Amino acid sequence: MDSILVTGNGPLSGRIPIAGAKNACLTLMPATLLSEEPLTLTNAPRLSDIRTMTALLQSLGAEVTSLQGGQVLAMSSHDLNNHVADYDIVRKMRASNLVLGPMLARLGHAVVSLPGGCAIGARPMDLHIHGLEALGAEIELRDGYLHAKAPRGLKGAVVEFSFASVGATENVMMAATLAKGTTVLKNAAREPEIVDLATCLRKMGARIEGDGTSEITIEGIDRLHGATHPVVTDRIELGTYMLAPAIAGGEVECLGGRLDLVASFAEKLDQAGVTVTETETGLKVARTGGPIRAVDVTTEPFPGFPTDLQAQMMALLATAEGTSVLEERIFENRFMHAPELTRMGARIEVQGGTARVTGVEQLKGAPVMATDLRASVSLILAGLAAEGETVVSRVYHLDRGYEHVETKLQAVGAKIERIRG
Ligand code: EPZ
């Protein structure tokens, strides 16, 4: 298994290109199942999760061709010949569950393995099931698989989510595009990835309004046609790289960065003493003097502070002046990076969903272990500010969500390399 060696090397300077969003691409790809005509995605990120979704779609009979080094995905689901999403693939990546809604709508049946638990929490699918059953699907859990069928097709309905679940909103919105009649999703997720999916579905002929708000209305139609769609910028990769100059000092421009995608996060950076400026080509982030100030953070559904940036923010606050309180309200077990940061000298007390972080003068490099995707990159960020060498092991977690992290950081002066394991 590869590991990454980071050596604290002072302030950074230069530009980092931000890729297309993993979490948008992982819901845009299953949208190909809704139509017999080709769907092509551009600005796709080159990540192992995208390769996992590619393998899953191909196992269902879809054609997925990766072009331009993976930045273009040319897909066609003209000849689907399998409606079972196998445990072997689904257990690797929870987002595999996003084939459920489209398959049900297109084929009238689907068998999708439950994803199983993952590092950050139980992550059940009750809200996905609730929404699809409201559209008339019959769903039964048997041998760890969801067996779903809609022999008479899906019918529009009003669906109220008890929690603004991103995946459940995506699954039900995709299914509703081919249901008979009108569907209204209440307390729907508002993430930019939902808006990107709705935009792509509209290009395919779907009738969707209200995406980006908590009430989305979908008028079902008989069939969707093909389209070409650019994947929206990855706001989590963007936020992650905004933290590099924040924690190491210096000034970095994140190319393609958009302030509207990270508004609440940028607000917290500003409070912490980091300057964020919009430029013609992205977002410039500078920390050229003065200490990082402690700030309190609570993770919430969009437009609140994103849970996927909590671990990375904790690394910054571990170097701040004062004590910060981080509340993780989305997942029940998303502080596994805390003990690893503690090995680097951070002072963190975790109690349930709350972490109290008291900043220290200087983090110290140490061998640490990645536990999940975002935890692994928070350890790299800490390594940028630490004295001495930090070796982050199990970086396969990292490769799921960050393309060439060492190359992007080397380009702005970081001392970082991959050690082939
Ligand atoms: C998406 O996961 C993202 N993944 C996650 O990013 C992200 O952290 C999460 O949304 C929240 O923003 C993708 O888009 C592929 P949820 P998803 O349904 O859809 C509970 C990353 O690092 N819940 O909004 O699974 C669930 O257990 C990943 O890129 C139910 O209880 O998130 C969790 O506690 C990690 N029942 C909370 O809701 C359900 O049926 C949020 O889940 C569904 C969810």
Side-chain angles (χ1 to χ4, degrees):
M1 278 186 270
D2 291 0
S3 44
I4 294 229
L5 169 62
V6 194
T7 309
N9 192 32
L12 305 175
S13 152
R15 310 170 92 180
I16 295 180
I18 304 300
K22 167 180 84 78
N23 290 348
C25 199
L26 288 174
T27 190
L28 290 164
M29 291 175 75
T32 185
L33 299 170
L34 291 166
S35 168
E36 292 184 353
E37 297 179 23
L39 173 62
T40 299
L41 299 176
T42 59
N43 193 39
R46 290 160 291 198
L47 303 167
S48 59
D49 269 10
I50 303 307
R51 293 190 286 276
T52 302
M53 181 61 81
T54 296
L56 173 58
L57 293 174
Q58 289 171 338
S59 76
L60 303 175
E63 285 164 38
V64 182
T65 310
S66 172
L67 306 166
Q68 291 176 32
Q71 279 215 297
V72 173
L73 298 171
M75 302 180 289
S76 161
S77 298
H78 188 269
D79 307 316
L80 296 180
N81 53 27
N82 173 26
H83 66 281
V84 180
D86 201 80
Y87 175 59
D88 252 3
I89 298 184
V90 177
R91 71 181 168 78
K92 273 192 224 136
M93 185 182 66
R94 174 187 172 80
S96 309
N97 63 18
L98 294 171
V99 301
L100 177 59
M103 258 204 296
L104 201 47
R106 170 86 182 283
L107 301 176
H109 57 179
V111 178
V112 176
S113 166
L114 273 180
C118 78
I120 58 179
R123 304 183 77 182
M125 282 188 62
D126 54 309
L127 298 172
H128 298 243
I129 293 164
H130 163 72
L132 293 171
E133 284 181 337
L135 298 186
E138 293 154 26
I139 301 181
E140 192 200 344
L141 172 59
R142 216 167 51 235
D143 318 323
Y145 281 79
L146 291 177
H147 293 259
K149 53 183 193 290
R152 289 174 300 286
L154 297 172
K155 250 166 75 36
V158 176
V159 179
E160 175 109 35
F161 289 118
S162 57
F163 173 83
S165 156
V166 172
T169 300
E170 291 163 345
N171 244 332
V172 181
M173 183 164 77
M174 287 191 279
T177 59
L178 295 178
K180 286 182 189 54
T182 304
T183 296
V184 179
L185 305 184
K186 291 179 181 288
N187 196 24
R190 301 170 53 190
E191 274 67 7
E193 292 75 36
I194 305 278
V195 174
D196 203 38
L197 174 61
T199 305
C200 177
L201 291 169
R202 276 191 287 267
K203 286 180 187 173
M204 297 169 74
R207 304 229 297 266
I208 302 175
E209 284 174 5
D211 45 293
T213 75
S214 49
E215 181 158 312
I216 303 176
T217 303
I218 304 110
E219 296 292 342
I221 57 173
D222 291 343
R223 55 188 303 124
L224 296 182
H225 52 71
T228 296
H229 178 74
V231 178
V232 69
T233 302
D234 193 323
R235 62 193 170 97
I236 305 303
E237 188 194 28
L238 170 60
T240 302
Y241 287 121
M242 289 169 73
L243 280 165
I247 200 164
E251 182 175 286
V252 168
E253 184 180 12
C254 297
L255 300 175
R258 283 174 26 198
L259 193 54
D260 64 306
L261 294 173
V262 289
S264 59
F265 170 74
E267 169 60 30
K268 286 295 174 184
L269 282 191
D270 179 59
Q271 287 171 21
V274 178
T275 316
V276 179
T277 321
E278 290 183 278
T279 67
E280 289 291 302
T281 45
L283 289 182
K284 187 175 285 184
V285 183
R287 180 209 161 179
T288 44
I292 291 292
R293 294 188 289 268
V295 291
D296 294 342
V297 170
T298 300
T299 64
E300 293 171 310
F302 194 87
F305 190 99
T307 174
D308 292 347
L309 286 172
Q310 176 260 108
Q312 300 91 312
M313 190 69 178
M314 187 184 281
L316 176 70
L317 297 175
T319 67
E321 264 187 1
T323 297
S324 309
V325 177
L326 282 90
E327 299 260 353
E328 173 52 60
R329 293 238 174 110
I330 305 294
F331 288 102
E332 64 267 31
N333 182 30
R334 203 170 196 179
F335 286 138
M336 284 165 300
H337 40 287
E340 298 305 309
L341 289 169
T342 305
R343 287 174 51 75
M344 299 175 71
R347 284 180 51 201
I348 306 167
E349 293 152 54
V350 172
Q351 221 118 38
T354 303
R356 287 174 61 81
V357 183
T358 303
V360 295
E361 266 296 295
Q362 178 66 60
L363 291 174
K364 300 267 188 298
V368 288
M369 191 181 316
T371 50
D372 63 87
L373 167 56
R374 307 303 174 182
S376 44
V377 82
S378 82
L379 300 174
I380 289 186
L381 289 172
L384 294 177
E387 193 179 68
E389 292 187 348
T390 298
V391 180
V392 182
S393 57
R394 299 191 177 180
V395 289
Y396 57 84
H397 290 292
L398 199 67
D399 297 333
R400 294 188 51 184
Y402 292 92
E403 57 177 46
H404 314 307
V405 63
E406 64 276 13
T407 315
K408 292 193 175 184
L409 286 171
Q410 280 161 3
V412 292
K415 214 166 159 214
I416 178 171
E417 59 185 289
R418 181 176 290 255
I419 305 166
R420 297 280 171 210

